[in-house]
Amino acid sequence: MTAIHYTVEAADLHAHLFRVTLTVPEPQATQTVSLPVWIPGSYMVREFAKNLQKLTAKQGRRSIALIQQDKCTWVMSCKRDQALVLSYEVYAFDPSVRTAWLDSQRGFFNGTSLCLRVHGQEHAPHQLLLPAVKGQATWQAATGLTPVKTDKKGFGLYQAVNYDELVDCPVELGEFWSGQFSACGIAHRFVVAGALPSFDGDRLLADAQKICEAEIRFWHGQGTQAGSKAPHQSYLFMLNAVHDGYGGLEHVNSTALICNRADLPRLVHKQGRPFASDGYTTLLGLISHEYFHTWNVKQLRPDALASYDYTQENYTPLLWFFEGFTSYYDDLLLRRAGLIDDATYLKLLGQAINQVQQTPGRHVQTVAQASFDAWVKYYRQDENTLNATVSYYTKGSLVALCLDLSLRKEGHTLDGVMRGLWKRCKAGPMREQDLLDELHALTGRSWQAEIQAWVHSTHDLPLRELLSSQGIDIKSEAGSLAQRLGLRVNENSGHVHVKSVLRHSAAEAAGLAAGDEWLGLDVGNKGQGGSWRLNKLDELSALLGQERQFIALVARDKRLLRLPMKMPEESSTWKLATAEGRQSGWPAA
């Protein structure tokens, strides 16, 4: 079958426009094309067609009429023996990993944002031509696509086996740092855009290598042949370092990442040691998370995503497994790779537990429901999100923790379940029943009751009991003032703005609402303690002294409100620590 061909040019850097030329050598008599409305791995309809403009079609010198059927679909009547050529522009000014970006410093795109799908020919070979960018002699190109004929800078012709692979290999353009390493015999490349001159690339490569080797061996064993069993023969990390940003999106043999520039490891030394911020640990966790997806969701995938429908939502109740279990293993494998110690790991785990414990929505929505509703809830968060839903990432990771610690009490591990599922389902889609079957095969008993209680109910998880069984001490620490009041706030330039009010909280009882500006307070009986301006929420304790009741002075829609409020009892958070004389091998092994 003749290949579908795309030429993608960085046409106008200042106008942020890519120009795409799509050639269909053998069109159908009635040929339909469409642009995806979502990108796999990010479960929200994003309407990429809103950025497409100047779409034209020709066969030879003859213009072909384009009939638009809906927001992202066009139909043409064609001669079948003549190539169809479509031309269009795409506006690219979204700095996220999900769409496309183009300016004078950098270019980036996912195929779902730029490449029209040729209906009926999705399984044909697809080619992508990346011409060198005019006026940008120092720019390079990087992508996970297979090169056919490219120059030293990466510009030229690439190929994909089908449309799915084409749009699953994003492209990075610009003047970026590049480094390479081998993990279990597999070639890996890291490209970093936007780094400071002090960026320690060697350390990033060394740490990423440890992560990749730990994960390859997790899935395929400790032997020297582990790499030959992996589903990818090469891998590309694309990291965009910015002033303020964080995120990642997995792909078949690559990942696109964003981090704070300050979180990169630096060559600056403190006390004779290479310096890296706490944010660097977060970045390593992101790298670990997206790389783990190479197996868990890109190969081992939910049955609902066995074949992508790019025209609408693809619902699955299993994101608690594919995202949640990946979230459990991302930091756990950092520990096993020796990149963090037990104390750091338990601190990160404690943060995840506290995040769920401080979410009233955990008693409203099950984690399976949260997975199904990702399209309209998780990716469309608002002031009520914490009250109405729970994160399938975070609670899903705690479901994995509960399974792992329960299995360890019986002489097994979740590692064995994951590897068993890889063997059972890697050639086909996975269902919840497959997890239950693998648990039964490993332990000889049913786990239906646990999955029902932890995944399909809103009951709290048995974390305290299970952590204690592994020699983990659980202590209570005083929570923040925001947690005590049941608030989430933004504090900027001396102003306190309410983002969210948590259900059944003191703030809700007083009548505070999202969008309020908390200006100050009257303290004491009838204001005898004085009226005070509030510039930061943490000032509240000092202003109140021994008083428990006060009047919150609030601005809402230009109106000034006086809201009687009572300071609640102290709240607490969990702090995890290793008990003395602990015998368990978890989490290190």
Side-chain angles (χ1 to χ4, degrees):
M1 187 177 292
T2 308
I4 307 297
H5 187 279
Y6 300 80
T7 299
V8 174
E9 302 171 83
D12 192 327
L13 306 186
H14 299 305
H16 319 294
L17 291 173
F18 284 105
R19 181 181 298 113
V20 183
T21 303
L22 165 58
T23 302
V24 186
E26 300 173 1
Q28 299 174 346
T30 301
Q31 182 62 66
T32 301
V33 297
S34 66
L35 198 66
V37 302
W38 71 289
I39 180 170
S42 183
Y43 305 100
M44 187 177 87
V45 171
R46 297 185 183 276
E47 313 292 18
F48 299 130
K50 68 182 179 182
N51 294 316
L52 190 149
Q53 61 191 41
K54 292 187 178 181
L55 177 61
T56 62
K58 289 187 175 183
Q59 284 191 297
R61 296 183 178 180
R62 182 172 68 95
S63 294
I64 303 298
L66 286 150
I67 300 173
Q68 188 165 359
Q69 285 193 324
D70 57 35
K71 61 188 177 183
C72 61
T73 307
W74 294 263
V75 177
M76 296 149 283
S77 295
C78 303
K79 294 181 178 179
R80 301 193 63 176
D81 60 350
Q82 191 174 18
L84 171 66
V85 179
L86 295 98
S87 299
Y88 53 95
E89 295 175 342
V90 174
Y91 177 72
F93 205 58
D94 183 338
S96 77
V97 296
R98 298 177 292 264
T99 53
W101 172 271
L102 184 64
D103 69 359
S104 60
Q105 304 302 307
R106 172 180 176 263
F108 172 83
F109 67 86
N110 289 285
T112 44
S113 292
L114 264 66
C115 298
L116 286 167
R117 178 168 62 97
V118 182
H119 290 218
Q121 301 197 44
E122 294 91 341
H123 299 293
H126 284 59
Q127 292 185 334
L128 174 65
L129 178 63
L130 295 173
V133 181
K134 294 180 180 179
Q136 301 293 334
T138 59
W139 277 31
Q140 305 174 70
T143 178
L145 288 168
T146 302
V148 176
K149 186 177 181 181
T150 58
D151 62 22
K152 293 181 179 180
K153 294 184 177 181
F155 293 104
L157 184 64
Y158 293 86
Q159 67 180 9
V161 297
N162 53 30
Y163 182 80
D164 283 347
E165 184 180 58
L166 174 77
V167 300
D168 203 17
C169 294
V171 175
E172 178 77 24
L173 302 168
E175 188 175 345
F176 47 72
W177 176 92
S178 179
Q180 299 180 353
F181 63 87
S182 176
C184 298
I186 298 174
H188 291 69
R189 183 185 182 193
F190 226 116
V191 301
V192 181
L196 294 171
S198 59
F199 165 54
D200 188 348
D202 288 342
R203 178 168 181 183
L204 180 64
L205 291 179
D207 291 345
Q209 181 184 36
K210 292 176 182 177
I211 293 169
C212 295
E213 289 179 341
E215 298 196 1
I216 293 169
R217 288 169 179 156
F218 171 89
W219 289 101
H220 303 295
Q222 297 298 317
T224 57
Q225 300 300 315
S228 64
K229 302 175 183 177
H232 54 297
Q233 300 305 308
S234 63
Y235 196 88
L236 172 66
F237 292 97
M238 291 170 281
L239 175 59
N240 182 28
V242 297
H243 173 66
D244 185 18
Y246 175 82
L249 189 61
E250 70 276 1
H251 297 281
V252 64
N253 66 348
S254 63
T255 184
L257 309 167
I258 291 178
C259 78
N260 289 348
R261 195 172 286 119
D263 291 342
L264 290 173
R266 285 179 281 174
L267 293 170
V268 179
H269 286 62
K270 287 188 175 181
Q271 298 178 350
R273 293 178 297 175
F275 173 72
S277 66
D278 289 343
Y280 181 54
T281 300
T282 303
L283 172 59
L284 293 179
L286 178 65
I287 291 169
S288 178
H289 184 99
E290 302 304 339
Y291 195 69
F292 198 84
H293 272 317
T294 308
W295 293 266
N296 195 36
V297 91
K298 297 310 296 184
Q299 300 291 332
L300 182 65
R301 64 171 63 180
D303 56 350
L305 299 180
S307 178
Y308 298 126
D309 182 348
Y310 294 102
T311 68
Q312 62 183 354
E313 297 88 343
N314 291 213
Y315 296 101
T316 174
L318 288 175
L319 294 181
W320 60 268
F321 177 86
F322 289 98
E323 290 292 355
F325 280 41
T326 300
S327 295
Y328 173 61
Y329 275 107
D330 55 22
D331 288 335
L332 185 61
L333 287 166
L334 290 187
R335 174 65 193 93
R336 294 183 186 176
L339 294 170
I340 58 176
D341 57 18
D342 280 355
T344 302
Y345 174 73
L346 292 176
K347 178 182 177 181
L348 294 170
L349 182 59
Q351 291 172 354
I353 292 172
N354 287 321
Q355 180 182 330
V356 173
Q357 293 294 100
Q358 295 166 20
T359 302
R362 76 186 192 279
H363 292 311
V364 176
Q365 186 185 52
T366 71
V367 73
Q369 291 169 338
S371 300
F372 198 85
D373 286 340
W375 298 87
V376 293
K377 292 194 175 182
Y378 184 83
Y379 281 95
R380 297 183 185 274
Q381 296 191 17
D382 58 24
E383 72 284 347
N384 194 48
T385 293
L386 290 172
N387 296 319
T389 187
V390 67
S391 168
Y392 53 81
Y393 282 89
T394 314
K395 186 174 180 182
S397 73
L398 300 184
V399 171
L401 170 67
C402 288
L403 268 179
D404 196 7
L405 300 189
S406 297
L407 286 161
R408 287 173 183 273
K409 291 172 67 176
E410 300 184 17
H412 305 284
T413 69
L414 187 60
D415 301 3
V417 174
M418 299 300 288
R419 287 190 282 266
L421 283 170
W422 173 256
K423 295 176 182 177
R424 180 186 293 264
C425 300
K426 67 177 180 179
M430 179 191 145
R431 303 159 298 135
E432 184 178 299
Q433 188 60 48
D434 292 307
L435 173 60
L436 290 167
D437 289 346
E438 192 58 38
L439 285 165
H440 186 275
L442 186 66
T443 65
R445 72 169 182 89
S446 172
W447 289 75
Q448 182 69 55
E450 286 87 348
I451 296 299
Q452 179 63 35
W454 301 344
V455 174
H456 298 287
S457 84
T458 57
H459 300 313
D460 283 335
L461 300 171
L463 294 165
R464 189 177 296 272
E465 170 197 345
L466 290 171
L467 286 166
S468 295
S469 73
Q470 295 296 315
I472 304 300
D473 282 341
I474 302 169
K475 300 178 181 179
S476 293
E477 288 191 331
S480 68
L481 187 56
Q483 177 190 340
R484 184 177 177 185
L485 293 170
L487 283 174
R488 298 293 184 270
V489 299
N490 274 330
E491 298 177 334
N492 293 304
S493 303
H495 298 273
V496 180
H497 293 275
V498 177
K499 289 173 54 182
S500 297
V501 177
L502 302 190
R503 191 69 71 242
H504 307 307
S505 65
E508 184 184 62
L512 280 168
D516 288 351
E517 182 181 357
W518 192 343
L519 301 173
L521 60 153
D522 282 346
V523 184
N525 186 30
K526 298 181 180 180
Q528 292 178 6
S531 297
W532 299 90
R533 180 77 169 91
L534 190 69
N535 297 113
K536 291 183 178 181
L537 191 60
D538 285 344
E539 295 175 344
L540 185 61
S541 296
L543 295 174
L544 286 177
Q546 298 299 314
E547 294 288 341
R548 294 286 304 278
Q549 297 186 4
F550 60 95
I551 303 295
L553 307 177
V554 171
R556 182 185 300 165
D557 191 29
K558 297 295 183 180
R559 296 183 178 184
L560 298 179
L561 307 179
R562 296 173 58 84
L563 305 179
M565 196 166 184
K566 182 177 180 180
M567 181 65 73
E569 298 297 329
E570 293 283 351
S571 61
S572 62
T573 61
W574 286 25
K575 181 179 180 180
L576 309 183
T578 303
E580 292 186 13
R582 184 184 70 140
Q583 298 299 316
S584 171
W586 180 87

